[in-house]
Amino acid sequence: GGDTAKESADLYEADKSKGQPPAGAFVFYDCSGTIGDRVENWGHVGLCVGQGEVIHAWGEVRIDDYLAIEDLGAAPGWSSPKYIGWAPLERILIGSVPKAY
């Protein structure tokens, strides 16, 4: 993936998969803010556990509906997340080489 959730969303073309994500999909959001002296769209990502529910970290590890995540309050200087789309696990694993044990 990319160095940020947003870079990964772009790399995996998450914007091409809209609607309710299936279980096991990585779910991506635009989310901008300041880290150090850089303001950037760092993005936000979670994992769909089924029925549109996404486990992610937003102040704490929690489970929310994939669209309800857009309604979460943001830290000062940050934007609330905006849904981009999702990518299946298979897309994320492309190019991975399993380790021999």
Side-chain angles (χ1 to χ4, degrees), residues 18-62:
K18 298 288 189 177
Q20 182 172 306
F26 283 74
V27 186
F28 293 94
Y29 301 83
D30 283 315
C31 187
S32 299
T34 304
I35 296 180
D37 60 353
R38 288 178 49 196
V39 176
E40 191 170 321
N41 182 352
W42 303 96
H44 183 66
V45 64
L47 178 67
C48 185
V49 294
Q51 299 180 350
E53 298 288 301
V54 175
I55 188 167
H56 64 115
W58 194 263
E60 63 185 6
V61 176
R62 54 189 290 152

Side-chain angles (χ1 to χ4, degrees), residues 46-100:
L47 178 67
C48 185
V49 294
Q51 299 180 350
E53 298 288 301
V54 175
I55 188 167
H56 64 115
W58 194 263
E60 63 185 6
V61 176
R62 54 189 290 152
I63 296 175
D64 293 294
D65 177 81
Y66 77 104
L67 293 178
I69 291 172
E70 292 186 323
D71 298 328
L72 297 175
W78 282 76
S79 64
S80 293
K82 299 295 176 211
Y83 181 59
I84 296 172
W86 56 271
L89 179 60
E90 295 81 14
R91 173 70 180 99
I92 292 167
L93 294 177
I94 290 174
S96 296
V97 178
K99 292 182 181 181

